Amino acid sequence: MKTEKVRNFLPLAGLLIVFIAFAVLSGGRNLTSSNLQSIFNQSFFIMLAGICATFVYAHGGIDLSIGGLEGICMLIAVVSMRNIGFVPALILVILTGIVSGILIGGISVYGNIPVFITGLSLQYIYRGILKVATSKALITVPNQYTWLDSWGVKAVVLVAAAAVVGYLFKYTKIGRYEKAIGGNATATTLCGVNAKKYSVLAYVILGIGVGIAGLFAMVRAGGVNPQAGAAYEMDVLIAVVLGGMPLTGGAAARVRCGIIGALLIVVIENGFVLLGADPNLVDGIKGIIFIATVFVTIARRKGQVVN
Amino acid sequence: MEKEVILKCTKMCKSFGPTKALVDVDLVVNRGEIRGLIGENGSGKSTISSIVAGVLPYDSGNIEFLGKPHKPADMLEAQQAGISMVVQEAGTIQNLTVMANIFVGKEERFSRGLFLDKKAMKKEAQQILDEIGASHIRADDSIMRYNFEDRKLVEIARALYEKPELLIVDETTTALPHKGREVLYRLMKKQAKENRAVLFISHDMDELMDNCNAITVLRDGRLIATLNEDEMSIPKMRSLMIGREISDEYYRTDLDGSFGEEVVLKAEHLSAGEILEDFSFELHRGEILGIGGLSDCGMHDLGKAVYGAVKLLTGKVIYKDGTEIKSPAAAVSKKMGYVSKNRDIESLILSSSITSNVALPSLNKLQKGVYLSAKDEEALTNEQIKEMSIKCENGAQTVDNLSGGNKQKVVFGKWIGNKAEILILDCPTRGIDIGTKVAMYKLMYRLKQEGRSIIMISEEIPELIGMSDRIIVIRDGKLSGILERSDTLNEHSVIECML
């Protein structure tokens, strides 16, 4: 019960407290519109993937390949936009995301391989492909597409994603099934739910989100390089956990976890940098916050239990 | 004889979430007593003994042991105070030797610097084993060489090594064959004769009558009465446990084993798991088909095989419209339901709410197009909460704190809510209080009368005889006999088929 309440209120409360704290400490510098835009732009990618990752985390899964996937999608996006156009690029990155979701989900669930291993393997494969493809020259995006980098467009995309995912999660059986699988996959299967199919579906939805994020990331970066997308999956993982998502999934999973957590991380990073901290320390700070959050929110059994 | 108090519990209270396991229990045990403790599942008897033995903390109240306040932080502390407990489930540690198991937690007694004095350990371990009459067990053997009964004897040796003032035996005899039980009875009598005490928990009323000199009855977390030697009797115990007079018959009272002609489910030449071989049978409309046999005869695999939950090596399961049942999803779509023997692991999502559990198989039906209303889920669940009399605050409560009986009601509610026509039940009344058992049997009979079909796999022969229209007995994975409902059918005829 106590863990439940902590999980529900702490992330949002934490976000507000931290933001206000930095506002006070930095003398209001974090409230300037350019800083707020900066926070939004940085957190956009993590928020988008965090929202789309809800189904995966709800069923207790994890996707460690999305860094490489983002890189590949950035590559596909820039090549398509240079040669064909925006809409085909969008379609192609979405397709790539779908295929990637089928790969990681299908191989893990039907091949009985732990999903974090499949994820890591795919990560390396994607990274390898990306490195080869970008080894010849830096590929850059044509200027006419810079409108895509505006916070207005991205806000629309984000709201649309949250609306769609939120609806599917709360008002269709998909959300219930994913949480049930996370709570007890065996019992759920015995209730007649095709747990394997729904597990793969979760990764496909995440893949689509990552694909779209990749297109926007590419425009923001101006192109693609061999390191594109690095550590993306870790940022998303930390974000959802900070946002209150239980690692084993189940009934307490919520769509808002990705949103709140992403903002929280970025606000913290942004705040420290504003106060003059060495940007190199930021990783260390992230790590400490992560483990502290898990410590407080993870369900830990005290002592022994007799049935 | 002057009664000297050894254990005094005053106003013990313990809750697990909203479930009140113990309410103001005052328990006094005297020296020289073998005190029986009886009550249905959920009565609190295991809870109070676990608290006294240091396994569980209590919420409020007071315990005095040997005249001193007793609030152990764990079992080891309770042991040091003079209380040892033996339980029903396996309590030995797999990869260790017998002597390591006996001295687990107390190894420092044998430490010489960095090493353990194995010779001394062996000598002392063998001594205690010999003392309790288990000299066939060698102290330096790996525990894995011994069967369940012998391992239980090692646990008893561990408990008695400290010469506890109070020995708690928590349903240990339920799982022990004859010889092990005799050893335990002898040790309990010795404990009493040496002016110590025993707290003996058991379901077996005959056993309690034979061995105890006083019996305490618990019901719904309260201590109802303590019967001394002259007052002890089985009818008295039973009526105190239930709170009202109850006749021996709580199964069906009719002898009509008839059922419809229509075959609703057909199993043809099924082979699955390690034992089940070439098994065939038919299930009819309005039939309660009992399935029995020795514990590992393959009947539990059969339940899963018929539900499509286990890979079939040969054969098939065919529904009345000709469809083959190859997966639980297929089974559920044909209005089948499965109640597993392992309730917590296979039938329930413990961390989810009652609503989430009950509505799960029905979500397909409840969703209209692309919209699934939470209100529809709640309505379906509330209906089942009412129908099944599930004791809870509301559907939002999580399942994990419910009692065994209520959990099983949630499981049944899930399938009844989905309008299941064929139910496969595996040990459906295991670990359930008597009130819920009666309700379950009534429900099964009602379902039969409504023309639904039930396969009931059970390890309890009285239950099979009491409820089934036909009983299929399995021996070593093969069909050994089919018995029909009649008043001449007795346990003997069933057991004959099983062996």
Side-chain angles (χ1 to χ4, degrees):
Chain A
M1 280 295 115
K2 200 173 114 186
T3 316
E4 196 73 58
K5 290 199 166 39
V6 165
R7 201 190 291 291
N8 275 328
F9 295 122
L10 188 61
L12 186 55
L15 178 60
L16 291 172
I17 292 172
V18 164
F19 192 72
I20 294 172
F22 278 122
V24 167
L25 288 170
S26 70
R29 268 183 297 151
N30 71 342
L31 295 169
T32 64
S33 88
S34 74
N35 192 57
L36 288 175
Q37 273 186 51
S38 173
I39 290 178
F40 177 77
N41 281 317
Q42 281 179 58
S43 58
F44 169 75
F45 305 99
I46 308 178
M47 274 198 279
L48 184 54
I51 290 170
C52 295
T54 305
F55 299 104
V56 169
Y57 285 103
H59 82 237
I62 186 172
D63 190 339
L64 293 177
S65 69
I66 57 178
L69 177 61
E70 194 192 30
I72 294 270
C73 290
M74 286 168 78
L75 176 68
I76 291 176
V78 72
V79 169
S80 321
M81 275 156 78
R82 281 173 77 94
N83 299 308
I84 325 172
F86 169 63
V87 173
L90 185 61
I91 295 176
L92 281 174
V93 292
I94 290 178
L95 280 177
T96 312
I98 293 175
V99 167
S100 173
I102 294 176
L103 274 178
I104 187 175
I107 294 175
S108 310
V109 154
Y110 291 97
N112 277 316
I113 298 180
V115 69
F116 70 93
I117 290 187
T118 319
L120 282 177
S121 313
L122 283 174
Q123 170 93 292
Y124 277 100
I125 295 174
Y126 294 153
R127 188 63 55 199
I129 297 174
L130 188 62
K131 284 193 178 153
V132 166
T134 56
S135 61
K136 305 300 162 47
L138 200 62
I139 312 178
T140 56
V141 68
N143 281 331
Q144 75 225 71
Y145 293 114
T146 46
W147 62 271
L148 283 165
D149 193 34
S150 76
W151 67 268
V153 174
K154 289 193 272 196
V156 169
V157 169
L158 204 57
V159 167
V164 170
V165 169
Y167 182 83
L168 289 178
F169 194 69
K170 194 162 173 203
Y171 295 108
T172 70
K173 62 191 183 188
I174 302 177
R176 314 277 201 289
Y177 284 169
E178 301 287 351
K179 288 194 282 188
I181 296 169
N184 185 337
T186 312
T188 305
T189 309
L190 287 172
C191 280
V193 176
N194 190 338
K196 293 190 175 178
K197 185 175 91 178
Y198 282 93
S199 298
V200 176
L201 178 63
Y203 290 103
V204 166
I205 295 176
L206 174 56
I208 295 175
V210 171
I212 298 175
L215 189 148
F216 283 95
M218 181 279 294
V219 174
R220 181 163 183 80
V224 67
N225 65 69
Q227 259 54 261
Y232 192 35
E233 63 284 334
M234 291 312 174
D235 282 335
V236 172
L237 172 62
I238 295 182
V240 298
V241 169
L242 272 185
M245 178 75 74
L247 277 174
T248 45
R254 300 277 180 279
V255 177
R256 74 175 93 103
C257 298
I259 302 174
I260 298 178
L263 285 170
L264 195 49
I265 286 192
V266 172
V267 163
I268 291 174
E269 278 186 39
N270 170 274
F272 276 110
V273 169
L274 269 185
L275 294 180
D278 182 349
N280 292 320
L281 285 179
V282 155
D283 273 351
I285 295 169
K286 259 200 259 190
I288 294 174
I289 295 174
F290 188 35
I291 198 159
T293 312
V294 172
F295 187 76
V296 170
T297 60
I298 203 168
R300 286 173 292 141
R301 295 213 152 202
K302 293 203 180 85
Q304 295 164 350
V305 181
V306 162
N307 56 357
Chain B
M1 189 183 62
E2 175 78 23
K3 275 203 219 171
E4 192 191 328
V5 171
I6 195 174
L7 173 75
K8 186 168 170 183
C9 300
T10 322
K11 292 212 163 319
M12 280 275 101
C13 290
K14 172 76 186 167
S15 294
F16 296 102
T19 310
K20 294 198 175 60
L22 289 178
V23 183
D24 287 339
V25 172
D26 293 323
L27 179 66
V28 175
V29 180
N30 304 305
R31 282 192 179 278
E33 257 185 13
I34 300 179
R35 173 71 67 92
L37 199 56
I38 194 167
E40 281 300 318
N41 280 296
S43 60
K45 58 190 193 302
S46 270
T47 309
I48 187 142
S49 60
S50 301
I51 288 175
V52 170
V55 175
L56 279 179
Y58 53 89
D59 293 341
S60 70
N62 211 351
I63 310 182
E64 246 181 55
F65 182 62
L66 301 177
K68 293 188 290 250
H70 180 70
K71 198 165 184 173
D74 55 36
M75 275 187 92
L76 229 40
E77 256 190 54
Q79 269 208 336
Q80 279 155 9
I83 301 178
S84 284
M85 181 160 89
V86 201
V87 300
Q88 177 182 51
E89 309 88 28
T92 45
I93 303 171
Q94 284 277 61
N95 292 313
L96 298 181
T97 57
V98 168
M99 59 192 193
N101 264 285
I102 293 179
F103 298 120
V104 73
K106 305 172 199 153
E107 295 84 358
E108 329 133 3
R109 290 190 205 176
F110 300 98
S111 73
R112 308 266 178 275
L114 285 177
F115 302 99
L116 279 181
D117 185 350
K118 294 247 172 87
K119 269 178 78 177
M121 268 178 94
K122 180 171 162 190
K123 185 156 160 254
E124 286 209 35
Q126 198 62 57
Q127 196 174 3
I128 182 78
L129 285 167
D130 294 338
E131 265 176 44
I132 68 169
S135 13
H136 62 283
I137 302 178
R138 311 303 315 155
D140 51 355
D141 270 345
S142 162
I143 195 87
M144 302 198 281
R145 298 192 66 189
Y146 294 99
N147 63 21
F148 184 81
E149 184 180 14
D150 287 334
R151 292 193 206 192
K152 205 38 81 172
L153 291 175
V154 171
E155 277 182 62
I156 295 170
R158 174 167 72 203
L160 288 176
Y161 174 70
E162 301 289 349
K163 300 218 184 313
E165 295 292 326
L166 176 64
L167 173 68
I168 304 179
V169 179
D170 189 351
E171 301 213 41
T172 315
T173 49
T174 320
L176 273 185
H178 186 74
K179 198 184 83 187
R181 261 189 258 186
E182 295 293 319
V183 170
L184 203 47
Y185 298 152
R186 190 168 32 84
L187 292 169
M188 292 197 294
K189 291 199 170 74
K190 179 161 172 259
Q191 181 87 347
K193 213 155 67 159
E194 292 173 354
N195 208 30
R196 296 185 235 263
V198 178
L199 191 57
F200 181 25
I201 302 171
S202 170
H203 272 275
D204 187 338
M205 292 192 242
D206 291 303
E207 175 178 72
L208 289 173
M209 287 295 299
D210 288 338
N211 291 287
C212 304
N213 39 34
I215 296 179
T216 297
V217 180
L218 292 174
R219 185 177 80 228
D220 290 329
R222 283 175 208 273
L223 195 148
I224 304 298
T226 298
L227 305 168
N228 62 37
E229 218 146 1
D230 335 312
E231 301 167 318
M232 282 166 30
S233 80
I234 292 187
K236 188 113 198 185
M237 277 192 266
R238 203 179 268 150
S239 76
L240 286 173
M241 272 164 64
I242 298 160
R244 58 183 188 278
E245 297 301 318
I246 197 166
S247 63
D248 264 306
E249 296 304 323
Y250 58 173
Y251 304 117
R252 291 160 60 179
T253 46
D254 70 302
L255 283 171
D256 176 14
S258 69
F259 40 81
E261 275 197 32
E262 186 191 5
V263 174
V264 295
L265 198 65
K266 193 151 54 156
E268 289 178 356
H269 306 294
L270 300 183
S271 301
E274 314 221 334
I275 317 157
L276 205 61
E277 213 184 298
D278 198 21
F279 208 91
S280 307
F281 70 90
E282 289 177 348
L283 177 68
H284 304 87
R285 193 167 201 280
E287 178 179 14
I288 297 182
L289 180 61
I291 307 215
L294 295 174
S295 201
D296 50 6
C297 64
M299 59 185 181
H300 304 295
D301 284 336
L302 181 63
K304 291 213 162 97
V306 171
Y307 190 62
V310 128
K311 205 163 155 71
L312 294 175
L313 300 168
T314 71
K316 43 190 170 170
V317 180
I318 306 178
Y319 182 67
K320 64 183 175 192
D321 67 4
T323 336
E324 238 185 278
I325 305 289
K326 288 203 225 180
S327 69
V332 174
S333 74
K334 296 294 174 200
K335 296 272 174 262
M336 288 171 68
Y338 178 70
V339 175
S340 166
K341 181 175 79 144
N342 295 315
R343 187 162 50 235
D344 283 357
I345 301 175
E346 295 184 348
S347 290
L348 291 168
I349 304 173
L350 291 178
S351 54
S352 284
S353 64
I354 296 176
T355 306
S356 301
N357 276 279
V358 170
L360 189 56
S362 305
L363 291 181
N364 251 329
K365 272 187 331 204
L366 289 178
Q367 179 162 312
K368 317 241 184 320
V370 282
Y371 180 60
L372 175 58
S373 154
K375 289 221 164 17
D376 289 343
E377 271 183 279
E378 280 162 30
L380 188 143
T381 307
N382 287 332
E383 202 190 309
Q384 290 311 312
I385 291 180
K386 206 178 91 187
E387 282 286 318
M388 307 280 315
S389 301
I390 301 176
K391 269 201 277 210
C392 63
E393 278 169 35
N394 55 41
Q397 189 179 326
T398 47
V399 167
D400 55 4
N401 278 324
L402 293 177
S403 70
N406 276 307
K407 280 183 184 167
Q408 195 71 318
K409 285 181 183 175
V410 170
V411 178
F412 268 84
K414 164 168 90 169
W415 296 120
I416 311 270
N418 196 35
K419 311 232 188 317
E421 294 281 324
I422 300 175
L423 278 177
I424 302 170
L425 312 177
D426 197 343
C427 299
T429 61
R430 199 165 83 149
I432 291 182
D433 59 279
I434 200 171
T436 308
K437 270 199 212 198
V438 172
M440 298 270 122
Y441 293 136
K442 282 212 178 83
L443 174 64
M444 284 191 234
Y445 188 58
R446 198 192 85 206
L447 292 171
K448 168 195 159 70
Q449 289 182 304
E450 287 173 5
R452 302 191 220 218
S453 314
I454 296 177
I455 295 177
M456 184 177 80
I457 302 166
S458 175
E459 291 177 5
E460 281 179 51
I461 301 179
E463 184 174 66
L464 285 170
I465 296 178
M467 290 304 295
S468 316
D469 293 317
R470 288 187 302 156
I471 304 176
I472 290 184
V473 183
I474 306 183
R475 178 174 57 209
D476 285 329
K478 301 204 221 355
L479 195 147
S480 165
I482 302 184
L483 305 163
E484 300 202 348
R485 186 175 187 76
S486 88
D487 58 358
T488 53
L489 185 58
N490 59 24
E491 286 198 39
H492 204 66
S493 15
V494 180
I495 295 181
E496 256 182 45
C497 281
M498 286 181 7
L499 298 170

